[in-house]
Amino acid sequence: MTTQLSIRPAVLADLSAIVAMLADDPLGATRESPDDLTPYQDAFARITAAPDQHLIVAERENRVVGTLQLSVLPGLSRRGTSRTIIEAVRVHDTERGNGLGTELIRWAVDRSRELGAGLVQLTSDATRTDAHRFYERLGFVPSHIGFKLTL
Amino acid sequence: MTTQLSIRPAVLADLSAIVAMLADDPLGATRESPDDLTPYQDAFARITAAPDQHLIVAERENRVVGTLQLSVLPGLSRRGTSRTIIEAVRVHDTERGNGLGTELIRWAVDRSRELGAGLVQLTSDATRTDAHRFYERLGFVPSHIGFKLTL
């Protein structure tokens, strides 16, 4: 049995815990620097200044145990449908397998509806096959190829 | 030989031409309503009010011949890297095969750099195999699966 979970907007005091989760990941380990928070502080300020960005954390017993970022994109396609994009989903390793990932994504889907979106989208690295099954179980359709160009 | 092309922010007077291009497409034909611009006008207002949204058109001889939307997403991942997302890329059918698509995407990549992004990403429907070759030629890597959930 797990104790009460709360999902709330991230504050600056959560930053170190969020970055630790970003880094504690096979892909994240190669591209994050949890010992130097400076670049993350700048990015945190940009995110909180942008009304269409929603960076949230899941907290249990005063510990940050999960995070994701939800972005709203207004657009013309599909008769002017706004969409949301889910990025940077992470669950603390002590919480894996207990349904927290599902709670986070369900929160993001519900929040997307409240924000007036008609579509939720995300991309997942092709190597994360467990994640793909997870998103399909939640009703997401793997209809697209995700392309990236590093600048 | 083609005449001079300009790429500029979209204005409300471009809306009907943009929506016609969104609809003139195997997938778009099923989900757009070019004869009723009302929902698009509302969406256009939301896009132009959002500083991180850049809806642009390509114009040749006073005709709108291409469009795309570039969105800036600040984020914590990759040491606080901002990314851009390219959506709703369309080229008028009279202009296909003459390099306009390449010019549009190159514009978006250059603009992403100017906006301080470290990554450009987009998703393309798995059925658009010609588009996939096009993006790969421009240096994009098909590293991800794109998931969507319609609300």
Side-chain angles (χ1 to χ4, degrees):
Chain A
M1 215 184 96
T2 53
T3 52
Q4 184 65 37
L5 186 82
S6 71
I7 294 181
R8 58 164 176 81
V11 296
L12 190 55
D14 301 318
L15 190 59
S16 150
I18 297 171
V19 173
M21 287 189 290
L22 293 176
D24 181 23
D25 174 273
L27 297 171
T30 65
R31 56 194 190 202
E32 305 300 343
S33 65
D35 297 333
D36 173 16
L37 289 183
T38 316
Y40 300 99
Q41 284 159 348
D42 296 345
F44 187 86
R46 285 194 293 274
I47 294 167
T48 49
D52 283 342
Q53 304 300 326
H54 305 269
L55 178 67
I56 59 99
V57 293
E59 189 178 57
R60 201 192 302 277
E61 292 177 331
N62 298 316
R63 281 179 63 236
V64 170
V65 291
T67 183
L68 64 76
Q69 184 175 338
L70 186 69
S71 306
V72 182
L73 270 71
L76 293 178
S77 299
R78 301 170 189 238
R79 308 186 75 239
T81 297
S82 289
R83 63 189 72 199
T84 55
I85 294 185
I86 300 173
E87 287 277 357
V89 182
R90 291 293 188 283
V91 167
H92 196 279
D93 65 358
T94 59
E95 292 269 339
R96 286 179 194 155
N98 73 2
L100 174 55
T102 300
E103 289 198 57
L104 280 170
I105 299 300
R106 287 207 173 128
W107 177 91
V109 169
D110 290 345
R111 190 81 184 96
S112 298
R113 258 192 214 99
E114 290 168 10
L115 291 163
L119 192 66
V120 185
Q121 63 190 51
L122 60 90
T123 65
S124 180
D125 194 284
T127 63
R128 299 193 197 263
T129 49
D130 287 355
H132 304 166
R133 283 190 290 271
F134 167 75
Y135 289 119
E136 289 194 66
R137 277 198 303 271
L138 290 171
F140 285 81
V141 180
S143 53
H144 284 61
I145 312 290
F147 290 84
K148 291 193 197 275
L149 176 71
T150 304
L151 298 181
Chain B
M1 217 182 93
T2 53
T3 52
Q4 185 65 40
L5 186 82
S6 72
I7 294 181
R8 59 164 176 80
V11 295
L12 189 56
D14 302 318
L15 189 58
S16 147
I18 297 171
V19 174
M21 288 189 290
L22 293 176
D24 182 21
D25 173 275
L27 297 173
T30 65
R31 56 195 189 202
E32 306 300 343
S33 65
D35 297 333
D36 174 15
L37 290 182
T38 316
Y40 301 99
Q41 285 159 346
D42 296 345
F44 187 87
R46 285 194 294 273
I47 295 167
T48 50
D52 284 341
Q53 304 301 325
H54 305 269
L55 177 67
I56 60 99
V57 292
E59 188 178 58
R60 201 192 302 279
E61 292 176 332
N62 297 316
R63 279 180 63 237
V64 169
V65 292
T67 183
L68 65 75
Q69 184 175 340
L70 186 69
S71 306
V72 182
L73 269 70
L76 293 178
S77 300
R78 301 170 191 241
R79 307 185 76 241
T81 297
S82 288
R83 63 190 70 199
T84 55
I85 294 185
I86 301 173
E87 287 277 357
V89 182
R90 290 294 188 282
V91 167
H92 195 278
D93 66 357
T94 59
E95 293 269 339
R96 286 178 192 155
N98 72 2
L100 174 55
T102 300
E103 289 197 57
L104 281 170
I105 300 299
R106 288 206 173 127
W107 177 91
V109 169
D110 291 346
R111 190 80 184 97
S112 297
R113 261 194 210 95
E114 291 167 8
L115 291 164
L119 191 68
V120 185
Q121 63 190 51
L122 60 90
T123 65
S124 180
D125 193 284
T127 62
R128 299 193 198 264
T129 50
D130 288 355
H132 304 165
R133 284 190 290 270
F134 168 76
Y135 290 119
E136 289 195 64
R137 279 198 302 273
L138 291 170
F140 284 80
V141 180
S143 53
H144 283 60
I145 311 291
F147 290 85
K148 292 193 199 275
L149 175 71
T150 304
L151 298 181

